[in-house]
Every structure is written in structure tokens, then in C-alpha cells.
Amino acid sequence: EEEGEAAAEAEAVALEGDSQVFSLEADLVRPHGLLPGRLYLSDSKLRFISSGEAPSRVAGAPACSEQVARDAALSWPLSSVAQMQRRRYLMVHTALELLDDDGDSILLNFRTKRSRTQVRSWIKRKCSLTYRDRDRSARTAFGKMLSELQEAWQRRELSNFDYLMKLNEMAGRSYNDLNQYPVLPWVLSDYASPTLNLADPAVFRDLSKPMGAQDPAQADLVRQTYEQFDDPDIPRFHYGSHY
């Protein structure tokens, strides 16, 4: 995204005695669904106010009425925003996730990529960010963060779980979106035994092969899928999904 892109259409309003702010339509993305509303930004605060429409629920997710009620009017001091990460929503680059020092986060999806650019530009001017994702001026910072994370894990200052969760976060995954929820590697092959002998190599899966090829019969099926697929427009593939 270029910061010189034309700003998205926005309107100036006064909100609860705050200074002049701009606002634009946005959706709050939560694991239980999508809450439509409007984002307001001032010199000191970020506010999200629900439009009053019922949230679009994720299939199978609980109603979470208390959480929806809390999300209907959110307010974050801009001084608390420590990190800003560009995200995708439904594979489209229109979302933005903000994180504070306590680990809380909000994921907002905008109508256009230009709207997201406008919000990013505003927050970059108003916040002292420790990290603002991988734009051109932050690539060095990203590499430094990744190196420090790896070194902390190697020194056992981080647990395996915390290390993997941080890698998920830096790779663009989010607890707020079930489509991009953090993932953990499958390293075991034995999920039936009451106890495990971690000194036995047979306990672990073959890391040279993907999960879909661990079983010989499944590996043959995947190979046949690749060899028998014939389409003039779609390249051959082993897996039709990443899961």
C-alpha cells in the first residue's frame, strides 16, 4: 500500500465532546461473527460503534450475546496501541489489527483497501508504535523482532507454545478470525497410547512428509489426485485445500 493513495471518503464529526474526528464504515471481526458499525478516530481515541444490525454469525459459533453487547461500543486510547498489523479478511487485503501491551486486540475490516490505508496513516501519525507490520520502513524492525524471538526461545525464556503463538501472530494469523486462527504443528504419530516414550522415534510423525501423506494409503491417493488431474487452466495439485 502506498501512503500517497487517495484517502477514502470520510466525514468529520464531534463525538462526546472530543476533538474533531473522521469516521468511516467498518466491521468488527470476532470469532463468533462480524459486527457492522462505524469507526471514529480522533487525536487521542479510537471508537467503534455498532450500527445496531445483528452480527453475521459464524456457522456453529455460540450466540455470545454478552460479548456482542460489549462490542457494540468500544473505545481504545490511541496511546495504548502498541502494534498495528495489516490483515486479510476472506482473503481480501482490507483488514487491520491493533494490539496493546496487555495482549488485547481488535480486528477491523474496511470496505476498501484505501480506507484501510487512511486509518493506518492516521494511527501512524498519532501513536508511538513498537511495531507497525512489514511495510518498507519496517522490514528491518520485523527481522529484528523475529531474530529476538528466536533467540529468546533458544534461551528457553519462551515456552514452545508462546513461541509458536508469536510466530502465528507475525505470520498474519489472528485469534479474532476463525478463518485465520493460529495453528500448531502436528509432531506426534501416536495419539492412542496412555503414555508416550519420547525417546522412541516411532512416537513422532515423519516431518519430511506433510500430514496428508503420513499414511501410505493416503499418500497413494494424493499421488493419484496429482497424476490424474487434467485441466487446461488449473495446474495440477496434490491437495485441494491447505487443510
Side-chain angles (χ1 to χ4, degrees):
E1 290 175 45
E2 295 294 336
E3 298 305 336
E5 283 184 338
E9 181 180 358
E11 61 181 11
V13 299
L15 189 63
E16 295 181 5
D18 206 349
S19 58
Q20 289 291 301
V21 302
F22 74 77
S23 72
L24 66 170
E25 292 183 347
D27 298 320
L28 181 66
V29 183
R30 292 298 198 197
H32 53 268
L34 193 72
L35 187 65
R38 200 163 187 88
L39 177 70
Y40 297 86
L41 282 167
S42 72
D43 289 338
S44 60
K45 292 180 182 178
L46 173 153
R47 290 187 174 102
F48 174 82
I49 298 179
S50 166
S51 64
E53 298 177 36
S56 303
R57 285 179 55 193
V58 174
C64 300
S65 56
E66 292 183 3
Q67 180 67 52
V68 171
R70 287 194 296 268
D71 288 342
L74 292 178
S75 179
W76 269 35
L78 289 182
S79 59
S80 71
V81 179
Q83 295 188 38
M84 177 170 60
Q85 307 260 16
R86 283 175 288 189
R87 301 293 194 217
R88 295 179 299 177
Y89 182 69
L90 298 180
M91 304 303 291
V92 181
H93 292 271
T94 52
L96 192 68
E97 188 164 36
L98 305 176
L99 302 92
D100 66 14
D101 287 326
D102 295 327
D104 293 330
S105 65
I106 52 174
L107 179 61
L108 296 162
N109 185 54
F110 301 98
R111 298 295 178 266
T112 67
K113 191 175 181 180
R114 288 184 175 183
S115 296
R116 183 180 72 172
T117 297
Q118 184 182 24
V119 173
R120 285 187 74 246
S121 299
W122 182 277
I123 292 176
K124 284 165 66 174
R125 290 196 303 268
K126 304 298 181 182
C127 299
S128 299
L129 299 169
T130 59
Y131 180 66
R132 64 168 189 258
D133 76 21
R134 291 165 287 177
D135 58 14
R136 282 195 296 267
S137 61
R139 287 175 183 168
T140 301
F142 179 84
K144 185 172 183 288
M145 281 183 61
L146 181 58
S147 177
E148 290 175 348
L149 179 68
Q150 292 169 335
E151 291 173 3
W153 174 64
Q154 290 166 355
R155 293 192 300 266
R156 301 192 177 186
E157 297 171 1
L158 284 177
S159 68
N160 288 342
F161 178 82
D162 289 336
Y163 176 63
L164 290 170
M165 290 302 98
K166 193 65 179 177
L167 287 180
N168 271 277
E169 176 189 306
M170 295 179 72
R173 292 190 171 272
S174 170
Y175 289 108
N176 290 304
D177 185 3
L178 293 184
N179 292 307
Q180 303 177 93
Y181 210 73
V183 294
L184 292 172
W186 292 60
V187 297
L188 300 177
S189 63
D190 184 354
Y191 291 90
S193 300
T195 59
L196 295 177
N197 177 11
L198 298 182
D200 182 3
V203 166
F204 300 94
R205 77 172 178 91
D206 184 353
L207 295 176
S208 69
K209 299 177 181 178
M211 282 300 299
Q214 293 294 307
D215 179 74
Q218 181 65 26
D220 287 341
L221 180 61
V222 169
R223 192 176 300 109
Q224 290 177 26
T225 299
Y226 180 87
E227 293 173 350
Q228 296 176 7
F229 186 80
D230 185 17
D231 189 284
D233 300 315
I234 302 175
R236 289 183 175 184
F237 55 84
H238 289 94
Y239 305 96
S241 170
H242 58 289
Y243 288 119

